Amino acid sequence: MSAELVHARVVDHLKRLRLGTLADRLDATLGEAARVQPTYIDFLDQLLRDEMAAKQRRRIEMGIQIAHFPSVKTLEDFDFKFQPSLDAKLVRELATGRFIASAENALFFGPPGVGKTHLAIALGRAVVEAGHTVLFTTATALLADLVDGQSKGILASRMFFYGKPKLLVVDELGYMPLERQSAHLFFQLVSHRYEKASMLITTNQSVTQWGQVFGDDVIAAAILDRLLHHSHTFMVQGESYRLRQKRKAGLRLHSAPPLES
Ligand code: ADP
Ligand code: MG
């Protein structure tokens, strides 16, 4: 059989076996092999490693799309020096994704602008890279969706949707006090995920204020009880990173009182 026919058949078979990367790179790979003259096993090893690496990259890209992160934030571009009170070691430990296997939660408490959302996105990405499913949402969007599901009689499928990812990130809990129905739905979701799958929650309200957030001390206590049982809590303090950046740029805030001279 002619070399051309064999080449065409190899490409066809690689595609049918869904080894698309190998198929696309076949000529480059063959050229490289002719130059380096690897052993048969080294040649095969290289082929398989290329294909695995490409599959891994696609899996991560897909996982990041599915997670719906609102922006690109990574731990590499988080300035831990600006947050000396934050346990950087524990953040990096969470980034390995090991807490997912034991369905542990992570809670970030702190005022606006201190990097809670940044950390939530960065850890979410790291968990995707570690091979787990992640979904990012805000408390407002999540509860609007659950309330909508309940009114349409399809709450179970919405609960399933938010129950399924190995990590559910809920950003900005507590910015708005919740209606009674929302508080109940949030409790149901937390119970549903309890000891089965992890949640990462950011909030500007301290634990003592959760009664007001949920409009009910009993529900707030029941939610906290489950969330905190297997959890890592972070108090993110300090001044707003946004404001500091502005100050650094030499801008004066509109709300700042005029300087006395
Ligand atoms: P929060 O969610 O606590 O209100 P964000 O995470 O939205 O705060 O942070 C506000 C902005 O400042 C974002 O653009 C974020 O990337 C940036 N930021 C905050 N803290 C840090 C930090 N320590 N290092 C780098 N960027 C930071
Ligand atoms: Mg935020």
Side-chain angles (χ1 to χ4, degrees):
M1 197 178 232
S2 83
E4 265 167 52
L5 277 178
V6 175
H7 185 279
R9 187 171 64 196
V10 167
V11 170
D12 179 52
H13 284 173
L14 286 173
K15 284 186 176 156
R16 289 213 238 164
L17 287 165
R18 298 182 175 281
L19 301 171
T21 306
L22 282 190
D24 291 345
R25 289 205 202 131
L26 185 61
D27 291 339
T29 311
L30 291 175
E32 173 76 0
R35 195 174 61 79
V36 180
Q37 308 250 315
T39 62
Y40 293 128
I41 188 74
D42 281 344
F43 180 61
L44 187 57
D45 181 46
Q46 187 61 50
L47 293 186
L48 295 178
R49 277 197 295 162
D50 288 351
E51 188 68 35
M52 289 295 284
K55 276 212 159 46
Q56 168 86 344
R57 274 197 302 279
R58 278 199 297 276
R59 193 187 56 67
I60 290 172
E61 273 166 31
M62 184 80 81
I64 283 172
Q65 268 182 32
I66 290 171
H68 279 98
F69 297 117
S71 57
V72 179
K73 301 282 177 188
T74 64
L75 284 185
E76 288 72 53
D77 53 50
F78 188 82
D79 181 3
F80 282 96
K81 281 196 225 79
F82 187 71
Q83 281 299 338
S85 63
L86 189 72
D87 187 344
K89 228 175 114 189
L90 183 55
V91 172
R92 295 212 171 87
E93 163 58 31
L94 293 190
T96 65
R98 280 193 284 267
F99 73 108
I100 299 293
S102 34
E104 291 157 19
N105 299 318
L107 284 93
F108 290 85
F109 296 90
V114 292
K116 301 183 300 298
T117 300
H118 186 133
L119 288 166
I121 296 170
L123 280 172
R125 286 181 73 92
V127 169
V128 169
E129 282 166 17
H132 307 283
T133 49
V134 176
L135 179 65
F136 184 105
T137 182
T138 62
T140 307
L142 166 74
L143 290 166
D145 210 26
L146 291 180
V147 167
D148 179 66
Q150 191 162 48
S151 73
K152 289 181 177 148
I154 52 164
L155 181 60
S157 79
R158 296 276 161 96
M159 280 287 173
F160 180 77
F161 178 76
Y162 290 107
K164 219 172 140 208
K166 286 310 243 175
L167 174 66
L168 179 67
V169 181
V170 181
D171 198 23
E172 300 186 341
L173 185 70
Y175 279 83
M176 302 244 282
L178 302 178
E179 304 276 332
R180 193 170 176 74
Q181 182 191 12
S182 296
H184 267 275
L185 289 169
F186 192 72
F187 170 70
Q188 275 184 50
L189 179 66
V190 168
S191 302
H192 183 70
R193 296 184 62 91
Y194 176 58
E195 295 193 326
K196 287 205 285 283
S198 300
M199 293 181 81
L200 189 162
I201 292 179
T202 79
T203 175
N204 61 334
Q205 304 288 350
S206 70
V207 163
T208 52
Q209 290 160 321
W210 279 34
Q212 278 150 45
V213 170
F214 290 99
D216 181 330
D217 286 343
V218 177
I219 288 214
I223 289 171
L224 274 169
D225 191 52
R226 283 161 182 75
L227 285 179
L228 294 174
H229 187 192
H230 312 285
S231 71
H232 306 276
T233 55
F234 298 86
M235 305 294 163
V236 197
Q237 288 150 0
E239 66 169 333
S240 161
Y241 195 83
R242 295 187 190 101
L243 300 192
R244 194 204 51 167
Q245 296 301 92
K246 279 200 177 157
R247 229 193 329 276
K248 258 177 124 181
L251 296 172
R252 240 195 302 146
L253 296 165
H254 297 302
S255 58
L259 290 174
E260 287 177 15
S261 55

